[in-house]
Amino acid sequence: MLNFLKQVGDYAKETAQAAKFIGQGLSVTFDHMKRRPVTVQYPYEKVIPSERYRGRIHFEFDKCIACEVCVRVCPINLPVVDWEFNRETKKKTLNHYSIDFGVCIFCGNCVEYCPTNCLSMTEEYELASYDRHNLNYDNVALGRLPYKVTEDPMVAPMREFAYLPKGAMDPHDLPKGTQRAGRLPKDILAEIEAEEAKKTPANAAAEEKSSS
Amino acid sequence: MTLATLNLAEGVQLVSFGLLGLIMLVGALGVVLLSNIVYSAFLLGLVFISISGLYILLNAGFVAAAQVLVYVGAVNVLILFGIMLVNKQEDFATVKNAWVGKAATGAVCAGLFGLLSTMVLSHPWTISTVPAAGDRAIEVIGQHFFSDYLLPFELASVLLLIALVGAIILARREYLPDTAIPTEEALTLPEKPRELVAAGSRDSL
Amino acid sequence: MTPGIDLQGTFVRALTDLGLPAGAAKTVWIPLPMVLMLIVATVSIFICVWLERKISAAAQQRIGPEYVGPLGALQAVADGVKLIFKADITPAKADPWLFIIGPAIVVIPVFLSFLIVPFGQNLVITDLGIGIFLWIALSSITPIGLLMAGYSSNNKYSLLGGLRAAAQSISYEIPLALAVLAVVMMSNGLSTIDIVNQQSQYGILGWNIWRQPVGFVIFWISALAECERLPFDLPEAEEELVAGYQTEYTGMKFGLFYVGSYVNLMLSALIVSVLYLGGWSFPVPVESITALLGISETAPVVQIVAASLGIVMTMLKAYLLVFLTILLRWTVPRVRIDQLLDLGWKFLLPIALVNLLVTAGLKLTLPGFFGG
């Protein structure tokens, strides 16, 4: 009898607990209703990609020395480098270069390891096309300059949350010329450099001399 | 109340009685005659609903709702469940002297039909002078259940209890001997077994 | 209790004054409340769909429909128009007759159940003696339509979804009916009007939710299961069954299922508000307000204000419950089929029985409080 009563008591306790948890869940959901919608009305508004955004890869044909480092560091050996050995100059001449963005995972290894910095990441991400073969970009397509969201007259650029001024939650209708919270990296860099130059002017001068 | 409404009400009653009767008869014939058992089951639901319509015409709203709830909502759905969950197709062996069974069935049906028709013809059909209970029907039914119809009522509840216990025992399978459950052969998929492809076997190329 | 406005009497009298015979006047009156209720039900779909989309969006920090009409209020209309113009496809080897009849059988009982939903003392299509029992009986027809739709689609997901839906409906009907029974026992009648009148004496304190808290929870859970709302939407669980019994349906036949589910939700919310939240009664009884203001209770202005207040209160309570449902939809994950049946048969059913027993006992011991 006592055992049975204990069972009933435990069951009731579990039920109360389940009800409590559902109540907690409801309060969480309810709390979310008060928050700002994160929606970006895409074709009319676009988020400004951050500085280190890894978008479509840009390629500068003239800088490339056809060393194929990009092919070696690529997880799937994706870039196709078509070169010929020029016997007169004893250098490789690049004929074609292509990356298939239908296969690329945008890891950025090629950009990191390129010895001549001829590869770089852009902030372009709208690569949709009707045929997947159109995603195989050749050196001409890779060489096109990316367009900036902020310069598109059809688009209202939206700043990401981390780039909003202090206290602002909504990227819409920000006053012009507002800066994000904290100092910009280039200001910090300039300050550090100025400080170091002040601290050891002699050393710095010496260093500069030796390096030049 | 004037003559116009009375006529309208009577006309509506007559037409709906005719319609309900027609639906019921056609549905019942369909239940018996159709070869697709699922159609039969759905038509049975139609028959039950038209019967409940007849109850409404008789001013017995509660009985009509109970008819819908019990027969359509429970019995018919259970029948449909039974049909849809049991899909074992079996070719029955032809029984010798099958005509005997059919003849016996026919005899029983004819006898029942005869009995019922003699009953219908011999009964002195008079319209009851007691006014219909209408909305008070629930109280009247309850009083009957706990006074003069107590024994049938309790017997029916005991029957249902037995059915309930039986269903639980069947479902739990604890009290059934294990050998009673036939061990079926393992189910096999109708696909071809796939050949294993070695991934990245560069040397074989 | 005040008799409230007698719209029917006034209307018939006005027509007979114009020279119509009384019978004809009554005949003209008969379809009016039905048409009005159909319109109310249809508009409630649009409101429900709009609420569902907007509240879901808010709970997920989205915006939701915005461009169709003010604040996207006409989104449901746009969806409906789209469904009307869609190609109506009957799958090959499907059973064409059952395929057409199925959605109709699902929708018709739901609309019929609006017969008994009261918005005021006289603002109901018919004050049937069997009232709430009619709703229970009618809602038990729906599983047949679901089975029909599932069977006729010639699709295994449809059949499974239909069977699940029917199993769910019939197993949750029992705790639902038992919870209703406890309320009915307290109000000594099945009529929805009686049930509301019995609660409306002491304002908010007299509502059945205080006397039947357990019954309220049981009823609400079962009603959610009957409507196939989200914690219990197994019959159309996308991840498992594509869309359950709706898989093969397109165009307006799918639209019927859609309409049916939202009307059913609205109906359940209305019935909960009638059974447990005092229906059309204001949190403070109208009599005491009129007494406080020193106006006669039977003054025409007071009557009209009270009637409109009743309609608003009923709708408000119902939409509050709809809001709770939508919030619950984004809070609670879907239960498994065995959990669903466990909850229905092993939890709700015994508790509903105990609730009924306790209510009966309390009715005998405290007849003043529990409706003698």
Side-chain angles (χ1 to χ4, degrees), chain B residues 12-197:
Chain B
V12 167
Q13 277 195 14
L14 198 69
V15 168
S16 35
F17 175 74
L19 270 179
L20 285 172
L22 193 71
I23 291 172
M24 195 167 73
L25 286 180
V26 171
L29 283 177
V31 173
V32 183
L33 297 178
L34 282 179
S35 59
N36 190 340
I37 194 168
V38 178
Y39 287 166
S40 296
F42 282 128
L43 279 177
L44 190 64
L46 189 69
V47 172
F48 286 145
I49 287 190
S50 49
I51 290 175
S52 97
L54 286 183
Y55 285 140
I56 292 176
L57 284 184
L58 291 171
N59 251 345
F62 181 75
V63 183
Q67 163 89 11
V68 171
L69 179 64
V70 174
Y71 282 95
V72 181
V75 173
N76 200 26
V77 169
L78 271 185
I79 290 173
L80 280 168
F81 253 87
I83 291 167
M84 288 185 183
L85 289 178
V86 178
N87 62 348
K88 195 169 186 184
Q89 290 199 338
E90 217 174 313
D91 293 325
F92 292 105
T94 44
V95 186
K96 266 184 207 168
N97 299 331
W99 64 272
V100 177
K102 280 181 185 167
T105 319
V108 168
C109 289
L112 266 177
F113 185 74
L115 269 175
L116 285 173
S117 35
T118 46
M119 195 272 283
V120 166
L121 291 174
S122 65
H123 193 273
W125 295 101
T126 48
I127 295 171
S128 161
T129 49
V130 183
D135 285 347
R136 272 194 58 250
I138 310 160
E139 292 165 34
V140 176
I141 291 170
Q143 274 160 6
H144 276 305
F145 271 156
F146 287 98
S147 56
D148 45 349
Y149 286 100
L150 184 63
L151 189 66
F153 181 64
E154 291 298 328
L155 279 181
S157 64
V158 169
L159 186 72
L160 286 178
L161 186 69
I162 292 169
L164 208 64
V165 172
I168 290 170
I169 287 177
L170 279 180
R172 291 187 69 169
R173 288 184 185 274
E174 271 171 30
Y175 307 102
L176 293 179
D178 285 340
T179 50
I181 306 157
T183 51
E184 291 184 17
E185 72 269 27
L187 292 169
T188 47
L189 291 171
E191 299 170 0
K192 265 199 296 187
R194 238 186 241 169
E195 283 166 32
L196 291 174
V197 180

Side-chain angles (χ1 to χ4, degrees), chain C residues 175-198:
Chain C
L176 190 83
L178 287 174
V180 171
L181 200 57
V183 172
V184 165
M185 215 150 68
M186 292 197 317
S187 58
N188 292 322
L190 290 163
S191 157
T192 41
I193 306 270
D194 287 353
I195 291 172
V196 175
N197 278 339
Q198 178 256 339

Side-chain angles (χ1 to χ4, degrees), chain A residues 131-178:
Chain A
D131 183 353
R132 72 191 162 90
H133 300 295
N134 290 347
L135 292 174
N136 193 354
Y137 280 39
D138 66 349
N139 43 18
V140 181
L142 285 169
R144 279 189 200 120
L145 284 176
Y147 82 96
K148 285 174 82 174
V149 179
T150 41
E151 287 166 3
D152 193 335
M154 302 282 284
V155 172
M158 294 288 135
R159 287 200 232 166
E160 276 176 30
F161 186 68
Y163 296 86
L164 293 179
K166 197 177 178 189
M169 300 294 280
D170 196 340
H172 296 89
D173 307 321
L174 283 174
K176 268 203 164 164
T178 47

